[in-house]
Amino acid sequence: MRIIKPGFIIEDEINGIEVLKKIERAGRTCYKSEAKITEDSCREFVKKIIASGHHSVLEHEKVTVRVVCDRSTSHQGVRHRIATFSQESQRFCNYSKEGFGNEITFVQPDFDLEEDDIDLLRAIEAHYFKKIAQGKKPQQARYFLPNGTKTEFVVSMNLRSWRHFFELRTSPKADSQIQALAKGLLAEFRRLIPVIFDDITPEEPTL
Ligand SMILES: Cc1cc2nc3c(=O)[nH]c(=O)nc-3n(C[C@H](O)[C@H](O)[C@H](O)COP(=O)(O)OP(=O)(O)OC[C@H]3O[C@@H](n4cnc5c(N)ncnc54)[C@H](O)[C@@H]3O)c2cc1C
């Protein structure tokens, strides 16, 4: 049994200014104002597009992210429909195999696990392996796996959808683990892409 920390990797190489320039080129088509494009006009143009609510223009660019988290966090993530997901399958992955280190991986929650918690996870792992040894398929043995089981998914969303995801999931109303993921991602997106996420400022928790 292994317990790991959650995390993410942005899979694209992002040139933030090029992202803004592409959105500007698309957006200016609406107003036929391409003649106003200069070396640094994209920042101001995209800022105005966002302020005016003309957010469909942001859909011309997408970002792909790989997330490692527990199954309860991933279950919330995959509710976002304007997105594409590819997720580790508990139907096809047999955790008793060598490729998985002959063990089940769980994700560290945002509280300390105590000795009896670890005992329970060990017992679940032993039960899963017993069922596999008895001839059950991974899709049957997974019935016994808890929400804390590690999963991995790749998600691609356009920038409008990412804005929506951040607005919902960085809120103090969101579950603490997806909130931590969303806040980490938002900080990284803001570092890589100017302007587009600047107006999304997560509130501090009030409780
Ligand atoms: C704090 C919080 C608590 C939550 N609690 C629960 C819960 O208890 N139970 C639960 O089941 N879910 C819960 N959710 C999940 C929530 O209901 C949404 O499924 C999830 O946040 C995805 O949001 P979305 O539908 O806006 O995003 P997306 O699916 O990405 O959709 C983006 C936008 O596209 C539009 N859209 C998409 N599909 C349609 C459609 N069919 N018709 C019309 N417009 C559409 C909407 O404007 C939508 O906001 C919770 C979410 C949050 C943030």
Side-chain angles (χ1 to χ4, degrees):
M1 183 185 93
R2 212 155 47 111
I3 299 178
I4 61 165
K5 290 192 171 148
F8 64 80
I9 297 168
I10 295 179
E11 297 248 308
D12 299 310
E13 290 212 358
I14 296 175
N15 179 328
I17 291 297
E18 286 308 315
V19 167
L20 294 193
K21 285 184 172 180
K22 182 174 170 190
I23 290 171
E24 180 186 26
R25 280 196 303 277
R28 285 199 183 274
T29 306
C30 306
Y31 315 107
K32 290 313 290 169
S33 62
E34 293 95 332
K36 291 187 179 169
I37 293 177
T38 65
E39 198 40 50
D40 55 6
S41 57
C42 57
R43 285 174 180 266
E44 216 38 51
F45 180 82
V46 173
K47 209 182 278 182
K48 281 185 186 157
I49 282 283
I50 290 171
S52 72
H54 191 177
H55 293 183
S56 62
V57 186
L58 304 178
E59 295 167 14
H60 289 291
E61 278 285 324
K62 64 99 186 145
V63 175
T64 299
V65 173
R66 178 178 299 271
V67 176
V68 172
C69 63
D70 65 29
R71 291 281 298 197
S72 62
T73 306
S74 74
H75 190 77
Q76 296 169 75
V78 301
R79 293 295 303 278
H80 290 263
R81 290 161 291 182
I82 316 297
T84 301
F85 293 93
S86 302
Q87 181 167 12
E88 172 181 337
S89 167
Q90 291 184 340
R91 281 190 68 203
F92 303 122
C93 296
N94 180 343
Y95 299 116
S96 70
K97 296 263 186 197
E98 215 173 307
F100 298 96
N102 313 102
E103 61 184 351
I104 294 181
T105 303
F106 300 98
V107 169
Q108 174 68 45
D110 53 9
F111 55 87
D112 289 333
L113 289 172
E114 294 175 8
E115 209 179 313
D116 57 345
D117 302 323
I118 304 285
D119 289 346
L120 176 64
L121 296 179
R122 278 195 203 289
I124 288 170
E125 181 187 56
H127 195 71
Y128 176 95
F129 287 164
K130 187 169 107 187
K131 291 291 142 187
I132 293 283
Q134 288 171 352
K136 291 274 186 291
K137 293 181 175 154
Q139 72 185 52
Q140 295 170 316
R142 70 171 169 176
Y143 176 84
F144 300 101
L145 297 178
N147 273 337
T149 308
K150 172 257 175 189
T151 190
E152 192 167 327
F153 65 87
V154 174
V155 52
S156 301
M157 284 198 252
N158 66 52
L159 299 188
R160 184 186 199 178
S161 253
W162 276 115
R163 278 178 57 86
H164 182 64
F165 174 84
F166 291 135
E167 279 162 356
L168 291 182
R169 301 302 185 172
T170 61
S171 157
K173 296 188 192 86
D175 159 75
S176 57
Q177 297 200 99
I178 199 161
Q179 213 184 115
L181 168 69
K183 284 179 176 172
L185 274 170
L186 176 58
E188 205 46 20
F189 273 50
R190 286 166 76 132
R191 191 180 68 76
L192 293 167
I193 307 173
V195 180
I196 292 181
F197 302 97
D198 288 0
D199 60 326
I200 301 173
T201 45
E203 306 159 42
E204 284 308 309
T206 48
L207 293 175

